[in-house]
Amino acid sequence: MSYADPRARDLGVTPGNGTPGEHNAITDVPGVLVGHKTVIEGDGVRTGATAIFPHNTNIYQAKVPAGLSVMNGYGKFAGATQIEELGELETPILLTNTLSVAAGMQALIDWTLNQPGNESVRSVNAVVGETNDGRLNAIRAQTLTPLHMKAALENAMGGPVPEGNVGAGTGTIAMGWKGGIGTSSRLVDQWTVGVLVQTNFGGSFVMDGIPVGDLIGQQGVATDTRVQTTEHGSIVIVLATDAPLSSRNLKRLAGRAFAGLARSGANLSNGSGDYAIAFSTAESVRRDKRSAQTLANDEMTPLFVAAAAATEEAIVNAALAAEDMQSHDEITGELRTVRALPSAEVKRIIAEYRK
């Protein structure tokens, strides 16, 4: 596939420093795969799941180092304590909605137990992140099942990553506009840093330092004002790199993603669940190895810069790929419309602002 919708760079938005990889996606990191399952049913179901694989072999038998950073912990991130304690990832990562975390865990447990070579496994640390898509999705219906999650796992592939209203981003809202899945990457010396985001947070869009959200709002572009003024919301940021990093430095790398989040105009509010998880795909640091050479602390800064820049760009890409969405509220039955950020208007504002 190729990217049909305009992306940040098509509009002249080039956050931070560095050069993107071939697809400007998390899949530019060798071995990383991404799969989506989108579920749109009836008047109110607008949800899904997104799976991220660090490599395409048995992850439980070839665990990868990982680090988790939390800006604000108003959320449900399954598997967090074991990542914190052991610094490793033993399953793919699933992203979904708040009330479907259990279904995601069950799918990952089943997936792992059924992998050849895991016949004696008795414990699985399933890793599932979430944001609450309940303003567009009939979340109380808990439509998603482990089979939906399994479909996301089975759909995982490399290359360009579908963005916008797909998978775990199907029903999300970001800064008053339709949110979704976005991705980006940066090349750093011989390494690559890739980012995938599930955007569902409050604030007002800033792109390359330009207050695009405020400027569009001043011109009266229609959105659903009930969600445009929402302060709360969440984001899950997944970072991958082929740089041979320890779990400690992966935790530090994950924390730098929040610089990109802040630059995008996020509120970082009390009710926001802001999580970033980073892992390394380098074979030399997989946990089935007895010893490994990892990068030193003073080699980390270029990777930190790349993490922030790719996060910022991934957030923009999510917004530009999103499309208008309508849904009936599951409690009141009221029709709700959330508009997508108008890319033509964004392009015009950016060009005028730079003059």
Side-chain angles (χ1 to χ4, degrees), residues 342-354:
S343 58
E345 187 68 10
V346 171
K347 185 175 183 178
R348 185 189 65 79
I349 286 174
I350 289 172
E352 288 187 359
Y353 196 91
R354 285 180 172 156

Side-chain angles (χ1 to χ4, degrees), residues 62-324:
K63 300 175 178 65
V64 299
L68 177 70
S69 183
V70 182
M71 171 64 76
N72 194 63
Y74 192 88
K76 296 83 187 163
F77 201 100
T81 55
Q82 189 164 314
I83 294 171
E84 187 70 20
E85 182 69 19
L86 301 182
E88 62 189 26
L89 185 67
E90 62 186 32
T91 71
I93 298 167
L94 273 174
L95 306 181
T96 188
N97 73 58
T98 302
L99 298 187
S100 296
V101 172
M105 292 179 68
Q106 187 63 62
L108 286 173
I109 291 168
D110 293 343
W111 177 274
T112 302
L113 294 180
N114 288 324
Q115 294 294 300
N118 292 351
E119 291 80 8
S120 299
V121 171
R122 297 179 184 273
S123 174
V124 178
N125 187 46
V127 177
V128 186
E130 56 79 27
T131 69
N132 194 313
D133 58 14
R135 291 190 292 275
L136 276 172
N137 174 46
I139 194 169
R140 289 171 55 87
Q142 300 181 64
T143 301
L144 295 180
T145 68
L147 288 178
H148 291 114
M149 305 294 178
K150 182 182 178 183
L153 294 166
E154 291 175 339
N155 291 336
M157 63 184 65
V161 176
E163 296 175 300
N165 299 9
V166 294
T170 301
T172 62
I173 301 169
M175 296 192 271
W177 304 90
K178 184 65 187 69
I181 297 295
T183 188
S184 183
S185 68
R186 290 294 186 277
L187 303 179
V188 183
D189 298 326
Q190 70 267 47
W191 316 118
T192 303
V193 175
V195 172
L196 182 142
V197 296
Q198 177 194 18
T199 66
N200 193 50
F201 56 91
S204 184
F205 272 112
V206 176
M207 299 182 185
D208 268 0
I210 302 170
V212 170
D214 290 344
L215 292 172
I216 290 179
Q218 291 168 10
Q219 295 172 21
V221 177
T223 64
D224 185 329
T225 56
R226 290 167 299 174
V227 296
Q228 187 177 14
T229 56
T230 296
E231 296 180 359
H232 305 311
S234 302
I235 186 170
V236 180
I237 306 168
V238 180
L239 300 96
T241 184
D242 55 350
L245 303 185
S246 65
S247 57
R248 180 178 58 80
N249 270 333
L250 284 163
K251 181 180 179 71
R252 298 176 71 209
L253 183 69
R256 268 50 177 198
F258 296 126
L261 176 62
R263 292 174 195 160
S264 75
N267 279 338
L268 306 174
S269 65
N270 174 71
S272 185
D274 307 315
Y275 295 83
I277 181 172
F279 59 81
S280 172
T281 66
E283 290 193 28
S284 62
V285 295
R286 289 183 186 173
R287 295 303 173 89
D288 59 342
K289 310 294 182 182
R290 290 186 178 273
S291 61
Q293 184 75 27
T294 60
L295 295 188
N297 290 341
D298 60 9
E299 297 177 275
M300 290 300 299
T301 297
L303 297 171
F304 290 162
V305 172
T311 299
E312 185 179 1
E313 185 166 347
I315 290 168
V316 176
N317 285 337
L320 295 176
E323 299 175 351
D324 294 356

Side-chain angles (χ1 to χ4, degrees), residues 314-338:
I315 290 168
V316 176
N317 285 337
L320 295 176
E323 299 175 351
D324 294 356
M325 181 164 282
Q326 287 190 332
S327 178
H328 286 82
D329 187 276
E330 65 180 323
I331 297 175
T332 67
E334 183 180 2
L335 179 66
R336 171 168 292 171
T337 300
V338 178

